[in-house]
Amino acid sequence: MDNALAVDVEALRSRMEGTVAAPGDREYDEVRQAWNLAIDQRPALVAVPATVDEVVEVVNFARERGLRVAPQGTGHNASAIATLDRTVLVKTSALREVEIDAAGRRARVGAGVLWAEVTGPASEHGLAPLAGSSPDVGVVGYTLGGGLSWLGRRHGLAANSVLAIELVTADGRVVRTDRDHEPELFWALRGGGGSFGIVTAMEFVLYPAPEVYAGAMLWPWEQATEVLKAYVAWCRTAPDAISTSARLLQVPPLPEIPEPVRGRQFVAIDGAYLGSAEAAAEVLAPLRALEPEIDMFAPVPAAALSHIHMDPEHPVPAHGDGMILDDLTPAAIEALVRVAGPGSGSPLLMVELRQLGGAFATPPAEHGALAKMSGSFAFFAVGMVMDEAMGAAVAAHVDHVIDTMDPWDAGRRYLNFTERPSDPGAFFPEGTLRRLQAVKRAYDPADVFRANHPVT
Ligand SMILES: Cc1cc2nc3c(=O)[nH]c(=O)nc-3n(C[C@H](O)[C@H](O)[C@H](O)COP(=O)(O)OP(=O)(O)OC[C@H]3O[C@@H](n4cnc5c(N)ncnc54)[C@H](O)[C@@H]3O)c2cc1C
């Protein structure tokens, strides 16, 4: 950092309660860390604003010095950011307020809030947000990218249940957008990603979830072909009240993992049914007929939905990537099992088929940039990266798996399941991308904001 900038940084620091750290500062290594520990982010500066006013300070500071600004909540998707050269990484982790309006069935959260901080208190009122499978994914980053939740086949993408978004724009204004205020910006933010400003707060719908039947079924992965073929056939007629995922899982031999699954390999189906245990049992009967070794489906409070997928609840080093798949033929299942199942030598922790269709496939009357999810499954392949050699093996195998599934590619990528720098044309139809780019030009003509998945 040159001397003039160092003096300016000192001045910025003196105006902020939150942290500002430059390379060489004591806190720099701690605050630059992403949730994905495999990513070594080295921005020009890291800022952790304590208030919305401090977000404005940081944006003005960066813009006036020709620096770019990368907003980040947790860094779950940090691997997709192409570079942080001449960039201020703005961590929103201190903006942590959560308000639950149970009577109005809505929540308002600060940009640093994690899903578990909403699902817990909402569940006490028999309500649930359209949260993802993991308790510690950030509400804002997830929702800006679309948001596939366990309630999604009933209620659609999380982005399309957003009621209002507050953000700091490139010119340092604090803007509140909703269907009546700056509607083009509101449209772009709902599924178009983090290119348009730093979101400081978001308001969204909470749905009634008084009765939820959820959990997982596991079979030894030697049964993968049989179970996955039956699963894909079952998905074709499953009601919208159920949202599920099927995985080939290689559970690590870690001491904190319960003994019955530790170090073993499974084919697993998990998910949630919105309704009574009796109705759920009927829907799940064809899967139960396959006689799972472990069956943990049961009536649960809505808050439990953050844990049924057994996602890591703390930062981990990982490498993954995804795609959207069409309906899968028996040959597709066989190809997947060959490359990621028994005998494949796969180093991956899991490959996943997340069930789409239902309300995911139907654009609601008022929707954002991501109107719907085409295709039958959101696919994701991921492995742990404990060292360089493992990283190389995992990266090569993720590519191999994605190439293998190419014949069933539905033709689009999904922002949240894409963990590498990608062409914006991969995510959106041409007309949608042009409209997003027009919003970007209107609100951020100098391209101050650097998203993980930029629209330009
Ligand atoms: C274990 C795990 C489980 C997951 N489960 C699901 C799931 O069930 N469903 C699903 O849809 N996805 C899921 N994901 C993907 C997840 O939604 C994406 O990784 C998402 O981008 C994470 O958001 P974040 O804010 O936590 O991450 P970040 O990496 O902090 O944010 C991602 C991007 O969002 C933008 N952004 C974040 N905060 C702001 C802000 N305040 N203002 C402007 N832009 C911002 C930025 O462009 C940023 O680069 C999962 C990921 C993991 C690792």
Side-chain angles (χ1 to χ4, degrees), residues 72-77 133 138 141-142 144 148 197 199 354 414 416 452:
Q72 188 167 84
T74 64
H76 270 81
N77 201 296
S133 58
Y142 163 96
L144 295 176
L148 295 178
V199 172
R354 194 71 76 100
Y414 169 48
N416 285 357
N452 53 346

Side-chain angles (χ1 to χ4, degrees), residues 97-345:
E97 75 275 10
V98 177
E99 289 169 32
I100 306 287
D101 172 2
R105 289 197 196 149
R106 59 195 284 158
R108 174 193 162 83
V109 303
V113 169
L114 310 179
W115 269 124
E117 293 163 60
V118 189
T119 53
S123 180
E124 286 167 23
H125 302 281
L127 298 171
L130 298 185
S133 58
S134 159
D136 73 345
V137 158
V139 172
V140 166
Y142 163 96
T143 307
L144 295 176
L148 295 178
S149 103
W150 293 131
L151 285 63
R153 283 171 32 84
R154 167 67 90 208
H155 296 299
L157 290 159
N160 291 327
S161 281
V162 172
L163 300 166
I165 297 178
E166 290 167 16
L167 73 161
V168 175
T169 51
D171 53 4
R173 279 186 307 139
V174 178
V175 171
R176 181 179 164 88
T177 70
D178 58 24
R179 56 188 285 195
D180 301 319
H181 301 94
E182 320 232 17
E184 269 302 280
L185 181 57
F186 186 54
W187 170 83
L189 288 162
R190 289 176 295 149
S195 291
F196 308 97
I198 301 190
V199 172
T200 54
M202 196 175 257
E203 295 174 18
F204 47 86
V205 177
L206 299 174
Y207 290 96
E211 283 191 298
V212 181
Y213 191 85
M217 295 181 198
L218 287 86
W219 297 256
W221 80 341
E222 286 70 24
Q223 285 176 253
T225 307
E226 173 203 358
V227 171
L228 289 181
K229 281 184 181 172
Y231 172 71
V232 167
W234 173 87
C235 283
R236 291 188 191 118
T237 56
D240 296 357
I242 193 159
S243 302
T244 61
S245 145
R247 286 178 292 171
L248 293 174
L249 263 178
Q250 304 201 70
V251 182
L254 299 174
E256 64 263 31
I257 294 176
E259 198 275 323
V261 296
R262 187 190 310 142
R264 290 187 58 198
Q265 290 140 326
F266 294 99
V267 51
I269 296 174
D270 56 4
Y273 179 84
L274 290 176
S276 70
E278 294 71 33
E282 205 173 304
V283 170
L284 288 167
L287 301 176
R288 285 216 162 104
L290 299 167
E291 297 180 2
E293 178 187 323
I294 300 172
D295 182 350
M296 295 180 283
F297 269 91
V300 293
L305 296 181
S306 292
H307 306 285
I308 58 172
H309 208 49
M310 292 174 273
D311 285 340
E313 302 193 3
H314 49 77
V316 294
H319 176 91
D321 207 14
M323 66 200 294
I324 307 294
L325 296 174
D326 276 327
D327 195 12
L328 296 178
T329 59
I333 301 295
E334 285 156 21
L336 180 61
V337 173
R338 248 192 325 273
V339 78
S344 64

Side-chain angles (χ1 to χ4, degrees), residues 28-29 31-36 39-43 46 72 74-75 78-79 81 84 89 91:
Y28 181 73
D29 282 340
V31 291
R32 73 185 174 85
Q33 184 60 64
W35 182 91
N36 185 344
I39 306 306
D40 186 23
Q41 321 191 90
R42 291 182 180 274
V46 189
Q72 188 167 84
T74 64
S79 54
I81 302 173
L84 287 173
L89 181 67
K91 294 266 193 175

Side-chain angles (χ1 to χ4, degrees), residues 417-453:
F417 279 13
T418 302
E419 296 206 344
R420 62 176 103 197
S422 301
D423 184 318
F427 301 111
F428 305 102
E430 207 182 314
T432 304
L433 183 58
R434 273 204 302 271
R435 191 170 161 193
L436 284 167
Q437 290 169 343
V439 177
K440 176 75 173 171
R441 280 194 299 279
Y443 284 90
D444 183 13
D447 202 12
V448 171
F449 294 111
R450 189 192 283 289
N452 53 346
H453 297 298

